[in-house]
Every structure is written in structure tokens, then in C-alpha cells.
Amino acid sequence: MPETTPAPGAPALPWRALLAAGVLYLLAWTLLPPLLISSFPLDVVESLSWGREWQWGYYKHPPLAPWLLHLSYRTFGAAGPFLLSQLCIAATLWLVWLAGCRLMERERALLGTVLTLGVAFYGHPALEFNHNIAQMPLWAGLGWALLAALQDGRLRHWLALGALAGLGLLTKYSVAIVLACLGLYLVLGPARRALARPGPWLALGLALLLLAPHLYWLWQSDWLPMAYASRRAEAPGGSARLGALSFLGTQALNHLPLALVVLAAWLGTRRRLPAAGAWRLHARWPGYLLVVALGPGLLVTLLGLVTGLRIRDMWGMPMWAFSGLLVAALLPPAWLAPLRPRLLRGVAVWLVLITSLAMAYLAWGAQLRQRPARTDWPQQALVQQANAAWAQVSRCPLRTVAGNYWIAGLAAVPSPDRPSVLITGDARYSPWATADGLRQHGALWLREDGEPDMPPAPLDQLQPGPGLQLHQGTWQLPWPRRATAAPLVVHWRAYVPAACAAVMP
């Protein structure tokens, strides 16, 4: 196992200061956002409406991230989604540190771990927990696990690799990208000798075992997420191949804060820096570092250029966990001591800046833009209106809120009755909402002004009669931070079984 204890005479690492700063940062990004927003972000609302159903898959994604988000929300309330994002980032940094200690000396590994926070994906985008955030520690963990397995040859590291691979694919299918990069490294280089031992095959077996229930769900659902992704890929847009180059450019832009931190540190110390000598990667396994740091992003770009795959910029969020280590590995040994204080201060300045800007955006973004963001919607007023309207016409708990996943999710997620969400569109999107269940318990259907007056399936099967009452109306909800703007108009219709009716027909 590589040595991770400090060498004699090596400078002490500022653990206490870094830990204190990390805890303060985590608390700020966990506790401040719930105080500044009036509604949850879009992806949080959608995943919360999925997670409470405990399915083995959903029409867009595998199930692990919604499950974790549901647990976090039920445990920690409104702060839960933000805490979960920061815990994912903290776990990512810890795994990067573990991998870094296997690739380089501890001082350089620590510096590289901290520099990871200079990638912009670890800042403002983390306000919205989603499958990309949930992937971050899994990508970093896969990079660490294979390295540990190859260096030590221990079965536990191979099993960790298999577990992380299975959990990763239960989080988002794009984890296959990093698995492909690691697989190519394993097969095409000297590391392929490991394939003659049981470790890699046990890892594969464990990954498939963890994934098996989801694979069965995929088969039962007629591969619904793949059909959804295919329809999105067919949507009109610009050139997919130009989009691949745009993806690469966006990833570079998200590294701009990291580049500026390094540039500022170099400018401040360049007169005291000795000659760099020949530039090289100061890492024990430089090829491996290049694969985990650059391979996924370059592979995705290549796939987009060759196949015409439409690539989303935010797919890059989990791909750059090892960027900081790569930068640290490039620094000549004689530069580490003079550069380290300025690099750490530079990252600290960046984190203070992005924290201030992100919280200001949450607090005053709607006024500056003259239009609401997803975090500026009147969620509390919507929940109150929905619960009051249902209580007026029904003596039973509200079990289902129907509508598009945004407006229905806003009303359902914080409701004390914890209703399910029936999503407008394909009935397969909400398999928990059946016609028989809706007839027995009823539902509240919400639609925004301008949406067609067509209830989603299977709610469209319910017709008024002796066993079912219909009540409807319209709400006009003021925007929390734009009192002078036209109100949000929401039309509602309550489907109330006769056994629950609070109003006589």
C-alpha cells in the first residue's frame, strides 16, 4: 500500500483550519438556501415526487438519487436537499484525497483535493440536488477503488469497485462513461494482468447483482427511460456535433476559476520560484491520473462528434473530480512550498465569492431579472390553497395531486398528507396512480393557465356520477418577490369519491 504518512521534515498539513472552513462552508450552503427561497428547485421537486414511491426505476432515471433525497428531506426537512448536495461534495473530496495519497505525496494530494473546489460545478450548481450531484462521489470512488485494487490486489478493493459501479448505475446511466474509461485502462495496458485473478470478475458480479432489480424493472417497463431519452434526442435543435464541441468548451469554462486561482498564485510568487525544469506529471501512475482526470470528458466529446449524440453541458458535473490532482501533479516540487499558501487563499477567496453570489442570486435574482426562477415560485401559497380546497370538498386525506411534474410536485411535496404525484403525459410515468385507486381515494388536478383542459391518464377515465363528485375553480397566487407582477393563475379540479364527500350533491 502506498505510504500516506508524512515524510520526515515535510510541512504540517493545516487539517484543523481546513476542517473548520469545510464545516462552515457546508453549514452556509445547507442552512442559508432554505431561508432565501420560496420554492424548491425543479430537479428537487421532481425527484422528491419520485422518491416517496420507492420504485426500482422512474421514467427518466434509475432510483438511487430520488430515494436518498426523499430520506434526506423527511429527516432534515427543507434543509435536507441542500445538505445532501454538500455531503456528496464532501464525500467526493474525501475519495479524491484517498486516491491522491496513492498517486503522490500527501502535501501534493491535499493541495490537489482543495483545488478541486476551483471547478465551478462544485459551487452554484450544487444548490439543486439531482442525479449529476449524486454521481460525484461515485465517479471519484470508482477512480480510487480501481487504483487501490491494482496497487494492493486486495479483494476488498475489488468488491468496493463492484459496489460503487452497481450503485453508480443505479444513480445515472452515464456512470457507464467512467466505467468505460476504467475498463479501457484495465484491458489495454499492463494492468490487464489483473484479469487473470478473481477480483475483477467478483467486482463485475457484485455490480450486476446490485443492478439486477433495476434491470428487471427496465424489462417490465419496456425500457422506459431509454424511450424517453430517445425522444429527447430527436427533439429539434442545433447541430449535435457542434453541440459536442460546445460541451467541451463549457467544461473548460467551468475550470476558469481553477485556472485563475493558479494564475494568481503564480503571478504573486513568480520572482521567487526556481526554474521549473522539464514539465511532467509528478505522480506514481501518471497514465492512470490522465485517464480518470481527462478520459470521461474527452470520451463523451468524441461520442458526440462521431455518433451525433446530443450532449447536455451539465453531464460534465461529475467528470472533473480529479482536475485538482492533475493541476497539483503538474507543479514542480520546488514550487509546492511557495505556491501552497497562495493557492489555498485563492480557493478560499473563490469559495467566499461564489457563496456570496449564490445567496444573493437566491435572495434578489427575481427582482434583477424581472422574472421568477424556479426557486421564486409561491409554493407555500399553492400548498395552502390545495389543502384548503380539498378539505372543503372531501373528508378523506389527499392521496394524489395530478398535473405537470412541476406544479403538481410543488403542491404535493410539502403537503402534510404526503400525496403522490400523477404526472401529465404518458400514464407509465406514474405507475403508482391507477384508475381503481383514483376512484377509491380521489385526486386534485392542477393545471397552469394556458395548459389544455385535458386531465392526464388514468384520471381521464373518471366521470362524474353518483359515486364521484367534481369541484373546480381558479386560484390567483401573487409572486413572493414580485408583488406588482401578474399573479400565477392555477386552475384546479377535485375528483371526490362519494364516500369522502364533504359537500352533498
Side-chain angles (χ1 to χ4, degrees), residues 85-166:
S85 283
Q86 296 309 310
L87 291 178
C88 285
I89 290 174
T92 301
L93 295 176
W94 176 62
L95 290 160
V96 168
W97 157 252
L98 292 179
C101 287
R102 289 180 169 274
L103 290 168
M104 56 194 71
E105 65 271 21
R106 294 172 82 249
E107 181 188 6
R108 194 184 292 271
L110 178 65
L111 186 59
T113 302
V114 175
L115 287 174
T116 303
L117 291 170
V119 180
F121 284 133
Y122 291 87
H124 184 266
L127 287 171
E128 185 169 13
F129 178 84
N130 53 30
H131 292 73
N132 296 321
I133 297 289
Q135 286 182 94
M136 285 180 168
L138 295 164
W139 285 58
L142 287 165
W144 160 78
L146 180 60
L147 178 64
L150 292 175
Q151 288 182 340
D152 295 355
R154 294 184 178 178
L155 188 59
R156 67 183 185 187
H157 292 134
W158 287 110
L159 293 176
L161 178 69
L164 289 165

Side-chain angles (χ1 to χ4, degrees), residues 432-454:
W432 47 85
T434 64
D436 289 341
L438 294 171
R439 289 191 185 96
Q440 183 179 356
H441 301 293
L444 180 66
W445 174 39
L446 308 179
R447 63 182 178 90
E448 297 177 58
D449 203 25
E451 287 189 274
D453 188 2
M454 297 173 58

Side-chain angles (χ1 to χ4, degrees), residues 392-393 395 464-471 496-505:
Q392 287 178 353
V393 299
R395 294 179 288 106
L468 185 72
Q469 295 181 10
L470 262 60
H471 304 270
V496 184
C500 296
V503 179
M504 297 301 294

Side-chain angles (χ1 to χ4, degrees), residues 450-465:
E451 287 189 274
D453 188 2
M454 297 173 58
L459 192 60
D460 57 353
Q461 300 178 26
L462 277 62
Q463 300 299 324

Side-chain angles (χ1 to χ4, degrees), residues 342-368:
R342 288 183 178 271
L343 288 171
L344 294 179
R345 284 198 296 269
V347 172
V349 169
W350 161 246
L351 294 181
V352 170
L353 177 63
I354 193 59
T355 300
S356 303
L357 291 175
M359 300 309 145
Y361 174 85
L362 292 180
W364 298 295
Q367 295 92 318
L368 294 174

Side-chain angles (χ1 to χ4, degrees), residues 489-502:
V489 177
V490 178
H491 305 281
W492 63 273
R493 183 180 300 163
Y495 294 74
V496 184
C500 296

